[in-house]
Amino acid sequence: MPSLEVPLKLLLFIDKRPSSAEQVRQIRQHIEGLESVIAPVLEVIDVSEQPYLAEHFRLVITPTLIKISEAGRQTLTGSNIISQIDYWWSRWQTEIEAESSDRTQQSVDTTSIAQSTEIIHLSDEIFRLKQLNAEANAKLDFKDRIIAMLAHDLRNPLTAASIAIETLEMGYDPNHERRSRFRPELTVQLLRNAKTQIRSIDRMITDILQAAHGPSVELHIFPKELSLQELCQEVIHSMATKVKDKEQIIRLDMPQDLPQVHADPNQVRRVITNLLDNAVKYTPNGGEVVITALHRTTQKVQVSIQDTGPGIPADKQARIFEESFRLQRDQSQDGYGLGLALCLRIVRAHYGQIWVDSVPQKGSTFHFTLPVYKQANNQQKLF
């Protein structure tokens, strides 16, 4: 902390740039070579180590030299500090001589400065603690809401799966009166329905566990050569019951020469499932969802999932990828506002991008990119 035990104190504020050490050396050497009534004290302050001092003196840039004496304070900034010192030096010496003969002039109270900087430091600490407290309360509130929604939302798929299993059990009970009326196709349909509901439960639990660990938890990515067309077909097949119930059509449009990608199959499946599930959810009954892919560059493949739902307001399109953010219309919908945030993290972990194009009342198209998997000299590489 700077003190004013000498008539003239110079505070030189710097940052951690490589050139700072050389600037300090030049300024110190220049001041030592100047004629002085009373030699000044030069104190070097790194703003990253004492930010409250930088705040106290309202610094904007570095390097900055602040002259402090009983006559007052003066600030010199810019790349030509040495030439500015030369310009002001004789006047500073005159001030020192005048101060020596007339102590009635206004003095700078060192204790006051120390107290002022300490108050600023304490104020910063209080502000930081308030932020931490607000973040902790927000996390607790979010987890409480997640638990409440989980208890509510799990009832639907659990009930549907239970009904399917109980119906199957009745069909294979030799003493049940309806056993003889069971057809093979009904058995297959019930099994598919139970499987779909169980997958829905599994996806909910996965999202909840992801949220419980917070957005900073590390994603484990195990990339390998992957066919997007085959993966998309798998996801479409897993959602067949839901699509059929809404009388919708999912159209897959991918070129035959689409290259393989280098990606984690399980994580990319989560992205496609989340985006496709949203598209089906918001597309009206009897509507169409389109999945397309193109070889965007020699290094990237782009996948797009288009719906004909209500669209997303322009001012909300950037925020929908935030953790737990939900549009007002979605507050009564199933889900937790975690899906798109998770998609963003997965795509970024593959060094890709994800974004949305949307027009209100005309639908939305979500796009994401993945790296191409190529072969060179019979050796497989990621580009």
Tab-separated table of all heavy atoms in Angstrom, residues 195-241:
chain	number	residue	atom	x	y	z
A	195	LYS	N	-40.888	-50.102	-24.304
A	195	LYS	CA	-39.485	-49.776	-24.588
A	195	LYS	C	-39.310	-48.272	-24.787
A	195	LYS	O	-38.358	-47.672	-24.275
A	195	LYS	CB	-39.028	-50.538	-25.834
A	195	LYS	CG	-37.555	-50.382	-26.156
A	195	LYS	CD	-37.196	-51.225	-27.368
A	195	LYS	CE	-35.725	-51.080	-27.719
A	195	LYS	NZ	-35.368	-51.894	-28.913
A	196	THR	N	-40.242	-47.658	-25.514
A	196	THR	CA	-40.170	-46.217	-25.749
A	196	THR	C	-40.279	-45.441	-24.446
A	196	THR	O	-39.532	-44.481	-24.205
A	196	THR	CB	-41.283	-45.774	-26.714
A	196	THR	OG1	-41.109	-46.443	-27.968
A	196	THR	CG2	-41.259	-44.272	-26.933
A	197	GLN	N	-41.200	-45.848	-23.579
A	197	GLN	CA	-41.397	-45.135	-22.314
A	197	GLN	C	-40.191	-45.300	-21.393
A	197	GLN	O	-39.793	-44.372	-20.699
A	197	GLN	CB	-42.667	-45.649	-21.620
A	197	GLN	CG	-43.948	-45.452	-22.405
A	197	GLN	CD	-44.187	-43.999	-22.773
A	197	GLN	OE1	-43.784	-43.094	-22.048
A	197	GLN	NE2	-44.841	-43.770	-23.907
A	198	ILE	N	-39.605	-46.478	-21.411
A	198	ILE	CA	-38.414	-46.718	-20.573
A	198	ILE	C	-37.251	-45.856	-21.056
A	198	ILE	O	-36.478	-45.312	-20.263
A	198	ILE	CB	-38.042	-48.212	-20.570
A	198	ILE	CG1	-39.111	-49.004	-19.790
A	198	ILE	CG2	-36.661	-48.445	-19.961
A	198	ILE	CD1	-38.984	-50.497	-19.918
A	199	ARG	N	-37.111	-45.734	-22.372
A	199	ARG	CA	-36.062	-44.864	-22.911
A	199	ARG	C	-36.308	-43.412	-22.522
A	199	ARG	O	-35.365	-42.664	-22.257
A	199	ARG	CB	-36.007	-44.989	-24.433
A	199	ARG	CG	-35.323	-46.265	-24.918
A	199	ARG	CD	-35.242	-46.284	-26.424
A	199	ARG	NE	-34.481	-47.440	-26.890
A	199	ARG	CZ	-34.295	-47.753	-28.169
A	199	ARG	NH1	-34.820	-46.988	-29.110
A	199	ARG	NH2	-33.594	-48.812	-28.504
A	200	SER	N	-37.567	-43.009	-22.503
A	200	SER	CA	-37.906	-41.650	-22.100
A	200	SER	C	-37.513	-41.410	-20.644
A	200	SER	O	-36.950	-40.365	-20.298
A	200	SER	CB	-39.405	-41.402	-22.287
A	200	SER	OG	-39.767	-40.116	-21.846
A	201	ILE	N	-37.776	-42.398	-19.800
A	201	ILE	CA	-37.388	-42.294	-18.389
A	201	ILE	C	-35.874	-42.207	-18.262
A	201	ILE	O	-35.331	-41.401	-17.498
A	201	ILE	CB	-37.930	-43.505	-17.601
A	201	ILE	CG1	-39.466	-43.470	-17.571
A	201	ILE	CG2	-37.365	-43.524	-16.189
A	201	ILE	CD1	-40.093	-44.736	-17.033
A	202	ASP	N	-35.192	-43.056	-19.025
A	202	ASP	CA	-33.732	-43.059	-18.981
A	202	ASP	C	-33.162	-41.703	-19.396
A	202	ASP	O	-32.208	-41.197	-18.801
A	202	ASP	CB	-33.193	-44.163	-19.888
A	202	ASP	CG	-31.670	-44.197	-19.898
A	202	ASP	OD1	-31.075	-44.570	-18.866
A	202	ASP	OD2	-31.077	-43.867	-20.941
A	203	ARG	N	-33.760	-41.095	-20.418
A	203	ARG	CA	-33.291	-39.790	-20.890
A	203	ARG	C	-33.522	-38.713	-19.829
A	203	ARG	O	-32.671	-37.849	-19.612
A	203	ARG	CB	-34.003	-39.414	-22.195
A	203	ARG	CG	-33.450	-38.154	-22.837
A	203	ARG	CD	-33.890	-38.037	-24.291
A	203	ARG	NE	-35.323	-37.932	-24.436
A	203	ARG	CZ	-36.111	-38.906	-24.917
A	203	ARG	NH1	-35.598	-40.057	-25.287
A	203	ARG	NH2	-37.418	-38.726	-25.020
A	204	MET	N	-34.687	-38.779	-19.147
A	204	MET	CA	-34.950	-37.826	-18.074
A	204	MET	C	-33.912	-37.948	-16.965
A	204	MET	O	-33.361	-36.955	-16.481
A	204	MET	CB	-36.349	-38.067	-17.485
A	204	MET	CG	-37.498	-37.668	-18.378
A	204	MET	SD	-39.061	-37.961	-17.516
A	204	MET	CE	-40.229	-37.638	-18.845
A	205	ILE	N	-33.642	-39.177	-16.558
A	205	ILE	CA	-32.695	-39.406	-15.466
A	205	ILE	C	-31.299	-38.944	-15.872
A	205	ILE	O	-30.571	-38.339	-15.074
A	205	ILE	CB	-32.673	-40.897	-15.068
A	205	ILE	CG1	-34.021	-41.279	-14.441
A	205	ILE	CG2	-31.530	-41.196	-14.107
A	205	ILE	CD1	-34.182	-42.756	-14.169
A	206	THR	N	-30.924	-39.186	-17.114
A	206	THR	CA	-29.609	-38.747	-17.601
A	206	THR	C	-29.492	-37.235	-17.539
A	206	THR	O	-28.480	-36.679	-17.096
A	206	THR	CB	-29.383	-39.220	-19.044
A	206	THR	OG1	-29.408	-40.650	-19.077
A	206	THR	CG2	-28.040	-38.736	-19.572
A	207	ASP	N	-30.542	-36.542	-17.983
A	207	ASP	CA	-30.525	-35.077	-17.950
A	207	ASP	C	-30.463	-34.553	-16.520
A	207	ASP	O	-29.770	-33.577	-16.223
A	207	ASP	CB	-31.767	-34.513	-18.649
A	207	ASP	CG	-31.686	-34.653	-20.167
A	207	ASP	OD1	-30.597	-34.963	-20.668
A	207	ASP	OD2	-32.715	-34.458	-20.833
A	208	ILE	N	-31.188	-35.213	-15.621
A	208	ILE	CA	-31.195	-34.787	-14.228
A	208	ILE	C	-29.811	-34.951	-13.605
A	208	ILE	O	-29.300	-34.071	-12.912
A	208	ILE	CB	-32.230	-35.583	-13.421
A	208	ILE	CG1	-33.645	-35.232	-13.888
A	208	ILE	CG2	-32.091	-35.300	-11.935
A	208	ILE	CD1	-34.000	-33.789	-13.740
A	209	LEU	N	-29.182	-36.090	-13.846
A	209	LEU	CA	-27.845	-36.327	-13.301
A	209	LEU	C	-26.848	-35.326	-13.860
A	209	LEU	O	-25.955	-34.860	-13.157
A	209	LEU	CB	-27.391	-37.760	-13.624
A	209	LEU	CG	-28.153	-38.873	-12.885
A	209	LEU	CD1	-27.697	-40.236	-13.377
A	209	LEU	CD2	-27.941	-38.758	-11.377
A	210	GLN	N	-27.013	-34.998	-15.150
A	210	GLN	CA	-26.136	-34.002	-15.763
A	210	GLN	C	-26.315	-32.648	-15.074
A	210	GLN	O	-25.338	-31.948	-14.785
A	210	GLN	CB	-26.460	-33.878	-17.252
A	210	GLN	CG	-25.503	-32.987	-18.026
A	210	GLN	CD	-24.153	-33.640	-18.228
A	210	GLN	OE1	-24.080	-34.840	-18.401
A	210	GLN	NE2	-23.101	-32.842	-18.187
A	211	ALA	N	-27.550	-32.285	-14.796
A	211	ALA	CA	-27.822	-31.001	-14.140
A	211	ALA	C	-27.318	-30.983	-12.713
A	211	ALA	O	-26.829	-29.966	-12.224
A	211	ALA	CB	-29.331	-30.719	-14.155
A	212	ALA	N	-27.413	-32.127	-12.014
A	212	ALA	CA	-26.975	-32.197	-10.621
A	212	ALA	C	-25.489	-31.915	-10.480
A	212	ALA	O	-25.035	-31.349	-9.495
A	212	ALA	CB	-27.311	-33.563	-10.042
A	213	HIS	N	-24.709	-32.321	-11.479
A	213	HIS	CA	-23.270	-32.087	-11.436
A	213	HIS	C	-22.911	-30.669	-11.866
A	213	HIS	O	-21.776	-30.234	-11.666
A	213	HIS	CB	-22.546	-33.085	-12.347
A	213	HIS	CG	-22.500	-34.471	-11.783
A	213	HIS	ND1	-23.488	-35.401	-12.027
A	213	HIS	CD2	-21.605	-35.078	-10.970
A	213	HIS	CE1	-23.196	-36.536	-11.398
A	213	HIS	NE2	-22.064	-36.369	-10.750
A	214	GLY	N	-23.862	-29.959	-12.478
A	214	GLY	CA	-23.601	-28.590	-12.895
A	214	GLY	C	-22.970	-28.520	-14.266
A	214	GLY	O	-22.474	-29.515	-14.799
A	215	PRO	N	-22.948	-27.323	-14.877
A	215	PRO	CA	-22.446	-27.153	-16.232
A	215	PRO	C	-20.938	-27.344	-16.364
A	215	PRO	O	-20.435	-27.473	-17.474
A	215	PRO	CB	-22.846	-25.711	-16.579
A	215	PRO	CG	-22.989	-25.031	-15.267
A	215	PRO	CD	-23.481	-26.073	-14.320
A	216	SER	N	-20.215	-27.349	-15.227
A	216	SER	CA	-18.755	-27.454	-15.315
A	216	SER	C	-18.267	-28.899	-15.341
A	216	SER	O	-17.068	-29.141	-15.509
A	216	SER	CB	-18.112	-26.729	-14.122
A	216	SER	OG	-18.531	-27.316	-12.906
A	217	VAL	N	-19.178	-29.872	-15.159
A	217	VAL	CA	-18.732	-31.263	-15.129
A	217	VAL	C	-18.152	-31.665	-16.483
A	217	VAL	O	-18.618	-31.243	-17.539
A	217	VAL	CB	-19.911	-32.200	-14.754
A	217	VAL	CG1	-20.961	-32.217	-15.837
A	217	VAL	CG2	-19.410	-33.607	-14.476
A	218	GLU	N	-17.116	-32.470	-16.431
A	218	GLU	CA	-16.424	-32.858	-17.661
A	218	GLU	C	-17.244	-33.875	-18.449
A	218	GLU	O	-17.796	-34.825	-17.881
A	218	GLU	CB	-15.058	-33.450	-17.310
A	218	GLU	CG	-14.245	-33.857	-18.514
A	218	GLU	CD	-12.925	-34.490	-18.128
A	218	GLU	OE1	-12.643	-34.568	-16.917
A	218	GLU	OE2	-12.182	-34.919	-19.035
A	219	LEU	N	-17.338	-33.668	-19.751
A	219	LEU	CA	-17.981	-34.634	-20.633
A	219	LEU	C	-16.932	-35.635	-21.112
A	219	LEU	O	-15.852	-35.252	-21.533
A	219	LEU	CB	-18.598	-33.931	-21.852
A	219	LEU	CG	-19.962	-33.282	-21.661
A	219	LEU	CD1	-20.336	-32.521	-22.920
A	219	LEU	CD2	-21.026	-34.315	-21.354
A	220	HIS	N	-17.265	-36.912	-21.026
A	220	HIS	CA	-16.341	-37.942	-21.489
A	220	HIS	C	-16.686	-38.270	-22.947
A	220	HIS	O	-17.761	-38.777	-23.246
A	220	HIS	CB	-16.441	-39.184	-20.612
A	220	HIS	CG	-16.032	-38.925	-19.185
A	220	HIS	ND1	-14.720	-38.712	-18.825
A	220	HIS	CD2	-16.767	-38.816	-18.057
A	220	HIS	CE1	-14.657	-38.508	-17.522
A	220	HIS	NE2	-15.888	-38.554	-17.038
A	221	ILE	N	-15.776	-37.944	-23.842
A	221	ILE	CA	-15.982	-38.130	-25.272
A	221	ILE	C	-15.052	-39.231	-25.778
A	221	ILE	O	-13.839	-39.175	-25.555
A	221	ILE	CB	-15.700	-36.821	-26.044
A	221	ILE	CG1	-16.597	-35.687	-25.521
A	221	ILE	CG2	-15.910	-37.009	-27.544
A	221	ILE	CD1	-18.068	-35.897	-25.753
A	222	PHE	N	-15.645	-40.224	-26.443
A	222	PHE	CA	-14.866	-41.319	-27.021
A	222	PHE	C	-15.193	-41.401	-28.514
A	222	PHE	O	-16.042	-42.195	-28.941
A	222	PHE	CB	-15.194	-42.637	-26.321
A	222	PHE	CG	-14.948	-42.602	-24.835
A	222	PHE	CD1	-15.998	-42.383	-23.949
A	222	PHE	CD2	-13.669	-42.753	-24.331
A	222	PHE	CE1	-15.784	-42.333	-22.584
A	222	PHE	CE2	-13.436	-42.705	-22.962
A	222	PHE	CZ	-14.495	-42.492	-22.083
A	223	PRO	N	-14.554	-40.569	-29.328
A	223	PRO	CA	-14.901	-40.500	-30.757
A	223	PRO	C	-14.370	-41.685	-31.550
A	223	PRO	O	-13.340	-42.281	-31.215
A	223	PRO	CB	-14.236	-39.192	-31.205
A	223	PRO	CG	-13.088	-39.017	-30.273
A	223	PRO	CD	-13.510	-39.600	-28.959
A	224	LYS	N	-15.107	-42.001	-32.603
A	224	LYS	CA	-14.681	-43.020	-33.545
A	224	LYS	C	-15.379	-42.739	-34.877
A	224	LYS	O	-16.197	-41.826	-34.994
A	224	LYS	CB	-15.019	-44.413	-33.038
A	224	LYS	CG	-16.511	-44.696	-32.909
A	224	LYS	CD	-16.747	-46.128	-32.438
A	224	LYS	CE	-18.226	-46.479	-32.405
A	224	LYS	NZ	-18.442	-47.879	-31.961
A	225	GLU	N	-15.073	-43.533	-35.894
A	225	GLU	CA	-15.711	-43.349	-37.197
A	225	GLU	C	-17.195	-43.672	-37.074
A	225	GLU	O	-17.576	-44.729	-36.573
A	225	GLU	CB	-15.042	-44.251	-38.234
A	225	GLU	CG	-15.526	-43.999	-39.655
A	225	GLU	CD	-14.752	-44.827	-40.666
A	225	GLU	OE1	-13.951	-45.682	-40.247
A	225	GLU	OE2	-14.949	-44.613	-41.867
A	226	LEU	N	-18.036	-42.768	-37.551
A	226	LEU	CA	-19.468	-42.878	-37.298
A	226	LEU	C	-20.274	-42.485	-38.521
A	226	LEU	O	-19.986	-41.475	-39.168
A	226	LEU	CB	-19.841	-41.969	-36.115
A	226	LEU	CG	-21.314	-41.851	-35.734
A	226	LEU	CD1	-21.850	-43.189	-35.252
A	226	LEU	CD2	-21.490	-40.782	-34.656
A	227	SER	N	-21.300	-43.279	-38.816
A	227	SER	CA	-22.230	-42.978	-39.903
A	227	SER	C	-23.417	-42.214	-39.338
A	227	SER	O	-24.197	-42.755	-38.546
A	227	SER	CB	-22.708	-44.264	-40.574
A	227	SER	OG	-23.808	-43.992	-41.437
A	228	LEU	N	-23.572	-40.963	-39.749
A	228	LEU	CA	-24.693	-40.156	-39.275
A	228	LEU	C	-26.028	-40.691	-39.775
A	228	LEU	O	-27.035	-40.638	-39.076
A	228	LEU	CB	-24.515	-38.699	-39.715
A	228	LEU	CG	-23.540	-37.861	-38.892
A	228	LEU	CD1	-23.345	-36.500	-39.527
A	228	LEU	CD2	-24.038	-37.699	-37.453
A	229	GLN	N	-26.034	-41.200	-40.996
A	229	GLN	CA	-27.287	-41.711	-41.556
A	229	GLN	C	-27.815	-42.885	-40.732
A	229	GLN	O	-28.995	-42.939	-40.392
A	229	GLN	CB	-27.088	-42.131	-43.009
A	229	GLN	CG	-28.388	-42.531	-43.694
A	229	GLN	CD	-28.262	-42.515	-45.208
A	229	GLN	OE1	-27.171	-42.452	-45.742
A	229	GLN	NE2	-29.376	-42.559	-45.896
A	230	GLU	N	-26.935	-43.813	-40.382
A	230	GLU	CA	-27.363	-44.969	-39.589
A	230	GLU	C	-27.811	-44.524	-38.192
A	230	GLU	O	-28.815	-45.042	-37.663
A	230	GLU	CB	-26.218	-45.973	-39.482
A	230	GLU	CG	-25.871	-46.643	-40.802
A	230	GLU	CD	-24.691	-47.601	-40.667
A	230	GLU	OE1	-24.196	-47.764	-39.526
A	230	GLU	OE2	-24.263	-48.172	-41.686
A	231	LEU	N	-27.075	-43.580	-37.605
A	231	LEU	CA	-27.441	-43.119	-36.268
A	231	LEU	C	-28.793	-42.410	-36.290
A	231	LEU	O	-29.628	-42.624	-35.400
A	231	LEU	CB	-26.358	-42.179	-35.736
A	231	LEU	CG	-26.523	-41.711	-34.290
A	231	LEU	CD1	-26.523	-42.898	-33.340
A	231	LEU	CD2	-25.427	-40.729	-33.907
A	232	CYS	N	-29.039	-41.578	-37.292
A	232	CYS	CA	-30.325	-40.883	-37.400
A	232	CYS	C	-31.472	-41.885	-37.579
A	232	CYS	O	-32.554	-41.717	-36.999
A	232	CYS	CB	-30.300	-39.895	-38.561
A	232	CYS	SG	-29.317	-38.405	-38.246
A	233	GLN	N	-31.248	-42.911	-38.363
A	233	GLN	CA	-32.285	-43.923	-38.560
A	233	GLN	C	-32.604	-44.644	-37.252
A	233	GLN	O	-33.769	-44.957	-36.970
A	233	GLN	CB	-31.833	-44.919	-39.635
A	233	GLN	CG	-31.852	-44.332	-41.051
A	233	GLN	CD	-31.250	-45.254	-42.082
A	233	GLN	OE1	-30.477	-46.164	-41.754
A	233	GLN	NE2	-31.584	-45.030	-43.352
A	234	GLU	N	-31.581	-44.902	-36.449
A	234	GLU	CA	-31.814	-45.536	-35.149
A	234	GLU	C	-32.690	-44.655	-34.253
A	234	GLU	O	-33.629	-45.142	-33.605
A	234	GLU	CB	-30.483	-45.802	-34.445
A	234	GLU	CG	-29.639	-46.897	-35.081
A	234	GLU	CD	-28.307	-47.051	-34.355
A	234	GLU	OE1	-28.184	-46.527	-33.223
A	234	GLU	OE2	-27.397	-47.688	-34.914
A	235	VAL	N	-32.369	-43.367	-34.225
A	235	VAL	CA	-33.135	-42.451	-33.375
A	235	VAL	C	-34.571	-42.325	-33.877
A	235	VAL	O	-35.528	-42.333	-33.089
A	235	VAL	CB	-32.459	-41.058	-33.336
A	235	VAL	CG1	-33.318	-40.076	-32.545
A	235	VAL	CG2	-31.069	-41.157	-32.710
A	236	ILE	N	-34.748	-42.239	-35.188
A	236	ILE	CA	-36.092	-42.155	-35.772
A	236	ILE	C	-36.902	-43.394	-35.403
A	236	ILE	O	-38.083	-43.298	-35.022
A	236	ILE	CB	-36.009	-41.995	-37.299
A	236	ILE	CG1	-35.429	-40.624	-37.651
A	236	ILE	CG2	-37.391	-42.151	-37.941
A	236	ILE	CD1	-35.121	-40.455	-39.131
A	237	HIS	N	-36.277	-44.558	-35.488
A	237	HIS	CA	-36.974	-45.810	-35.154
A	237	HIS	C	-37.400	-45.823	-33.687
A	237	HIS	O	-38.505	-46.279	-33.353
A	237	HIS	CB	-36.059	-46.992	-35.448
A	237	HIS	CG	-36.696	-48.323	-35.137
A	237	HIS	ND1	-37.705	-48.866	-35.916
A	237	HIS	CD2	-36.483	-49.199	-34.118
A	237	HIS	CE1	-38.079	-50.027	-35.393
A	237	HIS	NE2	-37.355	-50.256	-34.314
A	238	SER	N	-36.540	-45.293	-32.803
A	238	SER	CA	-36.874	-45.301	-31.371
A	238	SER	C	-38.048	-44.382	-31.046
A	238	SER	O	-38.689	-44.545	-30.005
A	238	SER	CB	-35.648	-44.879	-30.547
A	238	SER	OG	-35.358	-43.506	-30.755
A	239	MET	N	-38.346	-43.422	-31.936
A	239	MET	CA	-39.429	-42.478	-31.695
A	239	MET	C	-40.654	-42.776	-32.552
A	239	MET	O	-41.555	-41.940	-32.663
A	239	MET	CB	-38.933	-41.047	-31.974
A	239	MET	CG	-37.761	-40.645	-31.098
A	239	MET	SD	-37.204	-38.947	-31.403
A	239	MET	CE	-38.645	-38.048	-30.869
A	240	ALA	N	-40.689	-43.948	-33.141
A	240	ALA	CA	-41.756	-44.285	-34.082
A	240	ALA	C	-43.140	-44.187	-33.454
A	240	ALA	O	-44.088	-43.680	-34.075
A	240	ALA	CB	-41.523	-45.683	-34.636
A	241	THR	N	-43.276	-44.649	-32.216
A	241	THR	CA	-44.591	-44.635	-31.565
A	241	THR	C	-45.093	-43.211	-31.361
A	241	THR	O	-46.251	-42.888	-31.645
A	241	THR	CB	-44.526	-45.365	-30.211
A	241	THR	OG1	-44.098	-46.706	-30.408
A	241	THR	CG2	-45.889	-45.363	-29.532
